[in-house]
Amino acid sequence: MPNLRLLKVKSPESGITLYWEQSLQERGICFENLVWFNWKAFPYESIPSNFHLGNLVILDMQESKLKKVWLETKNLTKLEDLNLSYSRNLSYMPDFSGLLNLVNLNLSQCSSLKILPNSLSCCSKLETLNVWNCQKLESLPMLPSNLRSLDASYCKILKSLPNLSNLEHLMMLDLSYCEKLTKVDGLEGLKSAETIKLCNCVKLKSDIKKKISQHISKDLENHKTCDIFFGGNEVPVWFEFRSESHSLSCQVTEPLKMEMQGLILCIVCSDGRGEEGWLLQNFKFVKAVVEVSNESKNFTWRHESVISLDYVETTTWMIKIPICVWKAEHGDTIKISAKRTICVDYMPGRVIKLGVKKIGVHFIYAAASQEGEEVSEENSRASLSI
């Protein structure tokens, strides 16, 4: 079938032998026009060298037996999506310098993979990198600047990351449960960040929360809401308003010669076991809802996010909310409440409530600019004392 473009192979059940490898070895180049190739549980240690990959756009080999994807360097200028997830024998990744148009790379649950090649930085269009639960991965190389999403959660021996300051387009960063990770450099460069997850990174230096807080407080040009998650059970002392309940009311203040830029919420969450007596060892994620109501203007802003709840530790959820997405001015009374969202657990008939232990509010300000005069970088930093 020389003109075949789409090929999906379902691996046969045990007891049936497929002589695919022998067929490939007996003939020359195969499938020269193939664009999309999906073979779940591919049974061989590498893709045969005479299998033509030059026109592939999507290569999907989840749960494969691959140890090496291919043996020699490939120049695959059309490949955009490479999915090798759950290939637990995969221990060696090829040279990426020939994959210039790669957009999505999924290596999640490749539990034998220890390193990624430095040539990964050559993938000039890479937007999504998923190495979730790569249990032997110790480090990541320099990442291409156009990356939008990086999921390295549950990489439990990941010790080092490259400086992230070049990732100005990164929207999602998940490093949860990277238990050996000691530092994250370059957070100030994440100008497009919408979600940052650092839950259960038990060896991160204690000043990481301070750095994150400084970053989101001074990044006034980013008009996007940003969710940040990490461990801990306290609202930082620099939050002007604090409450040990699931809601808080306060009045918007505005210091002299300062302009309101937004606010930061801090919510300390638990799995609700203190109230309900549940030990949720099997449940990981809960959808949470936060509402910011301006009682003076009869306006409510609503925000949803998925929270990873640990049955031992509490989770601190920070939200940066720019002024452009909610309506408030000096003197307004606002009420912040975290909804006790109900979700169904794995056990039939049992529900889970999000427990909210504490809430904090901090207003972000910048120095008011004169007519025709820009706010200086120094003065544009939030009036934040840590």
Side-chain angles (χ1 to χ4, degrees):
M1 296 181 283
N3 295 318
L4 191 65
R5 292 178 179 270
L6 308 177
L7 176 60
K8 181 173 183 177
V9 181
K10 291 189 70 173
S11 289
E13 299 296 332
S14 59
I16 300 176
T17 302
L18 184 66
Y19 296 100
W20 175 270
E21 191 173 32
Q22 180 179 344
S23 298
L24 287 177
Q25 291 174 350
E26 290 175 352
R27 59 173 296 166
I29 299 299
C30 302
F31 303 126
E32 294 186 44
N33 294 304
L34 202 62
V35 173
W36 180 78
F37 183 34
N38 180 333
W39 188 335
K40 190 174 182 179
F42 184 75
Y44 307 117
E45 294 184 358
S46 64
I47 300 174
S49 58
N50 61 338
F51 193 102
H52 187 76
L53 305 175
N55 287 315
L56 276 182
V57 176
I58 298 174
L59 178 58
D60 189 343
M61 287 186 163
Q62 301 178 53
E63 301 180 21
S64 75
K65 303 297 183 184
L66 290 169
K67 291 185 177 180
K68 297 182 178 181
V69 187
W70 47 74
L71 300 178
E72 63 284 324
T73 301
K74 298 281 188 182
N75 188 28
L76 306 180
T77 58
K78 297 181 180 180
L79 188 65
E80 296 182 7
D81 197 313
L82 179 58
N83 189 345
L84 302 171
S85 58
Y86 294 87
S87 296
R88 292 181 171 86
N89 296 329
L90 186 65
S91 58
Y92 175 81
M93 290 303 297
D95 185 355
F96 282 101
S97 59
L99 310 182
L100 298 179
N101 291 313
L102 188 60
V103 177
N104 302 307
L105 176 59
N106 191 342
L107 301 172
S108 60
Q109 199 80 2
C110 292
S111 52
S112 297
L113 194 61
K114 295 182 178 181
I115 59 172
L116 296 180
N118 292 329
S119 57
L120 184 66
S121 61
C122 299
C123 298
S124 55
K125 294 187 178 180
L126 185 64
E127 294 184 0
T128 302
L129 175 60
N130 190 341
V131 290
W132 168 78
N133 208 19
C134 288
Q135 297 283 345
K136 293 185 179 180
L137 192 65
E138 297 182 0
S139 63
L140 290 178
M142 182 64 68
L143 300 170
S145 60
N146 46 286
L147 200 66
R148 262 67 171 174
S149 174
L150 172 60
D151 187 348
S153 58
Y154 290 87
C155 292
K156 299 206 170 182
I157 66 169
L158 184 69
K159 297 178 181 178
S160 63
L161 293 172
N163 192 298
L164 304 180
S165 60
N166 66 315
L167 304 182
E168 61 180 22
H169 302 294
L170 193 74
M171 300 171 67
M172 197 287 292
L173 173 65
D174 192 349
L175 301 172
S176 302
Y177 293 86
C178 290
E179 297 172 355
K180 301 292 185 181
L181 193 64
T182 58
K183 64 178 182 177
V184 183
D185 293 328
L187 286 170
E188 68 281 356
L190 306 184
K191 300 185 181 302
S192 302
E194 296 180 8
T195 303
I196 299 174
K197 297 182 179 182
L198 300 170
C199 298
N200 241 52
C201 295
V202 294
K203 289 196 174 182
L204 273 183
K205 294 181 179 179
S206 58
D207 64 345
I208 188 68
K209 296 177 189 178
K210 177 179 176 180
K211 289 182 178 179
I212 292 175
S213 303
Q214 288 175 327
H215 161 59
I216 65 173
S217 298
K218 71 183 181 181
D219 186 14
L220 306 177
E221 295 181 359
N222 184 358
H223 293 162
K224 295 180 180 180
T225 301
C226 182
D227 295 289
I228 302 174
F229 302 93
F230 43 78
N233 58 4
E234 295 294 335
V235 175
V237 296
W238 47 268
F239 275 75
E240 300 99 314
F241 304 96
R242 285 174 281 173
S243 170
E244 294 192 4
S245 72
H246 68 278
S247 64
L248 181 154
S249 294
C250 61
Q251 192 173 55
V252 177
T253 59
E254 189 167 306
L256 185 65
K257 296 183 179 180
M258 303 291 282
E259 291 182 352
M260 170 72 68
Q261 297 291 313
L263 77 160
I264 302 174
L265 305 183
C266 182
I267 303 169
V268 179
C269 309
S270 70
D271 58 20
R273 70 185 185 278
E275 300 171 7
E276 306 294 341
W278 294 335
L279 188 61
L280 306 178
Q281 298 188 37
N282 297 320
F283 194 79
K284 295 181 182 296
F285 303 104
V286 170
K287 181 185 288 186
V289 180
V290 169
E291 289 184 351
V292 180
S293 300
N294 188 331
E295 297 179 341
S296 302
K297 290 186 169 57
N298 194 28
F299 171 81
T300 298
W301 178 82
R302 178 184 172 96
H303 181 64
E304 293 185 2
S305 189
V306 175
I307 296 181
S308 174
L309 294 178
D310 189 292
Y311 70 94
V312 175
E313 300 292 335
T314 54
T315 297
T316 300
W317 177 20
M318 273 193 186
I319 314 168
K320 184 196 76 170
I321 310 172
I323 191 65
C324 62
V325 302
W326 66 293
K327 300 176 181 178
E329 58 187 7
H330 176 63
D332 286 351
T333 299
I334 64 171
K335 180 180 180 180
I336 294 90
S337 59
K339 299 296 182 180
R340 307 157 78 80
T341 305
I342 296 177
C343 300
V344 179
D345 193 6
Y346 295 124
M347 294 182 64
R350 190 170 72 171
V351 297
I352 300 158
K353 293 182 179 180
L354 172 70
V356 177
K357 293 181 174 292
K358 301 172 184 178
I359 289 182
V361 177
H362 172 75
F363 294 106
I364 308 175
Y365 303 98
S369 59
Q370 302 292 328
E371 184 176 355
E373 179 182 320
E374 295 184 355
V375 181
S376 69
E377 180 180 353
E378 180 178 358
N379 288 334
S380 68
R381 296 180 181 177
S383 55
L384 177 62
S385 176
I386 304 181

